[in-house]
Amino acid sequence: MFHDSGLAARLIGLRGGDFARVPFEHGEDPPVVVFTGGRGMGKTALLKQLRNTYKGATPLALVDCARIEPPADHGPGWTELTGALAELAVQLSPRVTGAKSVQFPRLSLGLVAVASISWTQEDEERAQRDLQRLGPVLSTVDATKGAATNWVTKVLTKLAATFADAAAPLAGLLAEATVETVLEEVFGRFHQKSENWYGSYRNAGGRGKAGLQQLAMDFDQGGRRRQEAEDFLVGALVEDLGQAYKGLTRVGTRRGRPVLLLDNAHVELGRRLVEPVLRARHDGRRDKVVVLATSRVRRHEGMRHARRVRLPETMHRAACERGADITSGILAVELTPLSAAQTQAAFDRLDPSGLTPADLARGVHRLTGGRPLGVTLLGQAAAETPRTERPRLTPGALLDLDVELREDAHPVPVAPTLLAALLPQPRLEPFTVLAAAHDEVSARLLARTRLHTASRDGDMALRVRDELRAEDWPDGTEHFVGDPLLRALLLHRLRFADGDHPRHAAWRAVHETLHRHYEQGEQEGQDTARPYRLHHELALGRAEGAVAHLSGTFHELDVLGWLGRLRFIAAAPYPRTAGHTGPDPRRDAALGRHVPDLPDGLDAEATELHLSVRRLLHAVWLLTDPLALPDEDVTEKLAHELRQLSGRHLTGNSPLWDAATHWPRDIRAWRRPSLPPGREDGV
């Protein structure tokens, strides 16, 4: 993105480092670029870096469309869109290298006109507040007059006379009186002509004041008419920017295009800012504005005909041919996760001491999926850990730590901080409980039993599902919460948020509820229920049932089915103890260093099979846990046990032998053990 000939340079026309000129890739018809990706993918960080890189070189503004703060006690003349336009104008106006400041006379007049629609003779204070609030925008036209307050008094005096003579629609008369006074008191002779631009507005007939009157009346009417008025105000901003680029300025020529950075543009305000620009360009009206926006929703309906590429594909060229639909003027650029090498580089920068385990960065990459926010936060937590404790760190241990995000604030816990950033919900309990579910059926069961105060009929499960989809989190095939990092953080909260160590009552209640549900299904003859029951038994720390089942069914003909059940049961979340620094208990069990009490009635051969399956189960449980790190001794033991079991099976020795070859290879490649063993996609 920031390469000398990268996408930013080609769109803006300037290199980021020395601001040397770069040929424009799209000539006079640049696309609106929308960076897509879920929470924590670095969209906001990218826009902030663009702002920091090009600030002072070209007119530039950054607004968060999801966080436009309304002024106190504002009237109906203020909307999110008018507030955003005013903020954009103020940020775009300062002078930059080689050029004077940008002025916004057209936008100022439009904002003044719509601000006046609610003023009354009895509430002069509101009119005064609204007028003073417009001071920063009017200061872009004339800083000395716009910042003064004498023009406000004159506007109020003229409005008083207007109220007395009001016979026509009041909104239009107020707008006319306000605009006339502003033109006389703030605008110079050159800028007074800017009102003529509104002559092209609906029913204006080429008369600027009539257009501004109609604009105010349409804004006051609301609905579709207000939308038309707001679209015209967006056009006023673009027109003012265009005028700043016409001909020579007193200081020289402008070198880079103006830049609008719109964060969270998937919300309604983002569309209201972007669509008028797209519509004008589609109709052939060209402008020089570079619009770079972000969207958390990849398949947003506002980008239905966008040209879609991934960020690395834009390194040298980013073609975007305009089609029949206005949204074809959008180039949707999907931000890609960090690679394993980039994650390692981030850890090396944050902690150059190299005292952390060699596989820690790779383990964090597996846990986070390369999501930049997760990598950064966990890397920082590792760097802040005391040097003597770093060699024992695991991804799970990093979640238990605190991290100092700001020097002037206390350290914050890693897992809750990361979860709040990825899932900013006022009530996390429903998401936390339902993270243990596998599908909508089990989620509705948990909603009825564990969230009954909030959802007596189980609809909470569907509401949570819809919330996750609205945030563009992926659906899961084996889990109700599909994203591994989000699920891990929610399960961490389920385990530790209630502070109920060592009982962990919330964790135990949720998994026991699902355990009873699948046990009942098993009793009713549902063949698939038993692996689910044993999965939750394992999550409760009880492995005996799973070992007995896998040992008892080992000699079945369906060996691939047996391996699949083993893999599914062993995918259970491990009931960790926070802050545990000793060796993982599963390691000793996998290596056979701890011999448990055996069931009664086993002969020598059955005993050997039982112990082998127990070692294998604990090996798979440890090696596939995203909160743990791989262990070469356990990996070798996994291969050994599978080879031994291959020799024990009368008919299915080939799949077991293949698993002994491919599963260790999958684990060393940080992949899920493949089924059938050796299948490249690991499914």
Side-chain angles (χ1 to χ4, degrees):
M1 184 66 191
F2 296 98
H3 191 268
D4 285 351
S5 59
L7 180 59
R10 302 195 311 272
L11 287 171
I12 299 171
L14 297 176
R15 284 203 310 231
D18 55 7
F19 304 136
R21 292 183 187 272
V22 173
F24 295 118
E25 178 177 1
H26 294 279
E28 294 300 312
D29 189 20
V32 170
V33 177
V34 181
F35 299 104
T36 65
R39 289 192 184 272
M41 282 302 297
K43 302 183 300 300
T44 299
L46 176 60
L47 292 191
K48 287 182 177 179
Q49 182 63 28
L50 280 164
R51 178 192 61 190
N52 296 341
T53 300
Y54 286 98
K55 189 175 183 180
T58 193
L60 180 146
L62 167 61
V63 297
D64 185 344
C65 298
R67 286 185 173 84
I68 299 296
E69 295 295 330
D73 192 28
H74 66 81
W78 184 93
T79 64
E80 278 192 333
L81 185 128
T82 60
L85 289 175
E87 176 62 27
L88 288 169
V90 170
Q91 290 189 40
L92 286 161
S93 64
R95 61 182 304 158
V96 297
T97 303
K100 66 177 182 178
S101 59
V102 180
Q103 298 169 324
F104 290 91
R106 294 161 190 80
L107 178 62
S108 296
L109 289 178
L111 293 178
V112 162
V114 300
S116 66
I117 62 173
S118 65
W119 297 340
T120 63
Q121 195 169 11
E122 293 76 24
D123 192 4
E124 187 177 293
E125 288 185 4
R126 165 167 287 177
Q128 187 164 9
R129 283 195 302 270
D130 288 347
L131 286 167
Q132 289 173 340
R133 207 174 283 135
L134 290 169
V137 185
L138 291 169
S139 292
T140 68
V141 180
D142 189 322
T144 57
K145 294 179 181 177
T149 57
N150 58 328
W151 63 270
V152 175
T153 305
K154 294 183 179 181
V155 170
L156 293 174
T157 302
K158 189 156 192 172
L159 287 177
T162 303
F163 281 120
D165 300 332
L170 193 58
L173 290 176
L174 291 175
E176 182 180 12
T178 307
V179 166
E180 280 183 352
T181 310
V182 168
L183 283 169
E184 294 167 2
E185 298 298 326
V186 180
F187 283 32
R189 187 171 56 186
F190 173 74
H191 290 116
Q192 287 177 357
K193 296 179 181 178
S194 59
E195 74 165 282
N196 296 335
W197 186 75
Y198 285 91
S200 62
Y201 192 69
R202 187 176 73 87
N203 295 337
R207 294 170 294 129
K209 284 191 177 66
L212 283 161
Q213 279 185 301
Q214 187 67 55
L215 180 87
M217 289 188 289
D218 287 353
F219 195 93
D220 187 43
Q221 184 175 337
R224 183 172 62 86
R225 289 301 185 199
R226 173 172 287 189
Q227 181 175 328
E228 290 176 4
E230 289 184 332
D231 287 356
F232 210 80
L233 290 174
V234 175
L237 175 85
V238 174
E239 178 67 16
D240 282 335
L241 281 170
Q243 290 296 325
Y245 277 75
K246 286 189 176 178
L248 294 175
T249 68
R250 284 180 297 177
V251 182
T253 57
R254 297 186 180 273
R255 302 167 66 223
R257 284 172 169 158
V259 183
L260 299 185
L261 304 173
L262 307 178
D263 203 7
N264 290 310
H266 57 277
V267 303
E268 182 63 23
L269 174 59
R271 294 189 66 174
R272 300 292 300 114
L273 287 167
V274 170
E275 286 183 355
V277 177
L278 288 171
R279 198 173 297 114
R281 291 176 179 179
H282 183 267
D283 293 341
R285 297 193 298 275
R286 298 292 176 248
D287 61 74
K288 296 181 180 297
V289 182
V290 175
V291 181
L292 301 170
T294 68
S295 172
R296 194 163 62 246
V297 183
R298 293 174 179 83
R299 295 292 170 183
H300 195 287
E301 64 171 342
M303 300 189 291
R304 56 191 177 275
H305 293 287
R307 157 82 167 150
R308 295 184 179 274
V309 295
R310 300 171 79 244
L311 182 61
E313 298 169 24
T314 68
M315 178 68 181
H316 302 293
R317 187 170 179 270
C320 186
E321 296 181 6
R322 191 177 298 282
D325 191 277
I326 68 165
T327 61
S328 64
I330 296 177
L331 177 67
V333 180
E334 183 178 356
L335 297 186
T336 49
L338 299 179
S339 66
Q342 289 168 328
T343 302
Q344 183 64 62
F347 267 64
D348 291 342
R349 284 194 303 273
L350 291 165
D351 178 28
S353 70
L355 295 176
T356 56
D359 286 332
L360 183 62
R362 192 63 179 84
V364 166
H365 182 267
R366 175 176 66 175
L367 172 63
T368 62
R371 198 175 291 267
L373 180 64
V375 169
T376 302
L377 197 59
L378 294 179
Q380 190 170 344
E384 293 179 10
T385 303
R387 295 171 68 89
T388 56
E389 298 177 18
R390 289 181 202 173
R392 295 189 293 273
L393 287 175
T394 63
L398 291 175
L399 294 181
D400 300 336
L401 299 176
D402 292 342
V403 64
E404 184 180 287
L405 297 180
R406 293 170 46 188
E407 293 182 358
D408 59 346
H410 293 293
V412 294
V414 170
T417 301
L418 185 52
L419 179 58
L422 295 179
L423 193 66
Q425 294 285 336
R427 288 189 63 236
L428 280 172
E429 183 190 7
F431 298 87
T432 303
V433 170
L434 300 186
H438 300 276
D439 50 25
E440 285 186 15
V441 174
S442 56
R444 288 176 67 83
L445 167 75
L446 284 175
R448 287 193 300 270
T449 55
R450 309 308 317 170
L451 302 169
H452 53 85
T453 57
S455 175
R456 295 191 180 278
D457 59 357
D459 331 290
M460 178 58 74
L462 300 182
R463 287 203 291 271
V464 167
R465 181 203 65 184
D466 290 347
E467 287 285 350
L468 292 172
R469 287 178 177 175
E471 292 283 322
D472 216 38
W473 290 104
D475 291 332
T477 54
E478 293 183 358
H479 302 280
F480 183 70
V481 178
D483 185 80
L485 175 60
L486 182 60
R487 186 171 67 253
L489 292 169
L490 289 168
L491 291 174
H492 185 280
R493 187 176 189 275
L494 179 66
R495 179 75 175 167
F496 300 117
D498 59 2
D500 191 23
H501 173 77
R503 294 179 65 247
H504 301 293
W507 173 277
R508 195 170 66 251
V510 167
H511 286 288
E512 284 179 348
T513 298
L514 291 172
H515 180 270
R516 287 193 299 271
H517 167 67
Y518 290 114
E519 187 175 40
Q520 181 180 352
E522 193 177 344
Q523 292 169 356
E524 294 172 355
Q526 298 176 16
D527 295 337
T528 58
R530 183 176 294 180
Y532 285 89
R533 173 177 67 82
L534 297 173
H535 175 100
H536 292 285
E537 241 178 58
L538 205 57
L540 291 164
R542 305 196 299 266
E544 298 79 10
V547 175
H549 168 70
L550 291 169
S551 301
T553 58
F554 173 70
H555 289 291
E556 293 178 353
L557 295 178
D558 184 13
V559 177
L560 285 178
W562 186 88
L563 286 170
R565 289 197 300 277
L566 165 67
R567 188 180 71 166
F568 175 76
I569 294 168
Y574 180 60
R576 294 190 310 117
T577 301
H580 177 73
T581 57
D584 194 308
R586 291 173 292 182
R587 186 175 193 274
D588 283 347
L591 297 176
R593 294 174 180 172
H594 171 65
V595 180
D597 295 332
L598 296 172
D600 296 332
L602 296 181
D603 58 23
E605 185 175 347
T607 297
E608 190 60 37
L609 175 62
H610 184 92
L611 291 174
S612 179
V613 168
R614 186 178 189 275
R615 292 189 292 268
L616 177 62
L617 173 67
H618 282 84
V620 177
W621 195 13
L622 174 63
L623 294 172
T624 59
D625 184 353
L627 299 184
L629 291 178
D631 184 299
E632 189 57 32
D633 291 340
V634 177
T635 305
E636 290 291 339
K637 189 66 173 175
L638 169 81
H640 172 77
E641 296 299 341
L642 286 168
R643 282 193 293 268
Q644 293 296 310
L645 289 172
S646 173
R648 288 177 178 275
H649 205 284
L650 297 177
T651 59
N653 59 331
S654 178
L656 289 164
W657 185 266
D658 289 343
T661 302
H662 293 290
W663 279 18
R665 188 180 301 168
D666 292 333
I667 288 163
R668 292 185 181 110
W670 301 85
R671 294 191 299 263
R672 188 185 189 195
S674 51
L675 275 180
R679 180 167 169 169
E680 289 187 4
D681 60 10
V683 175

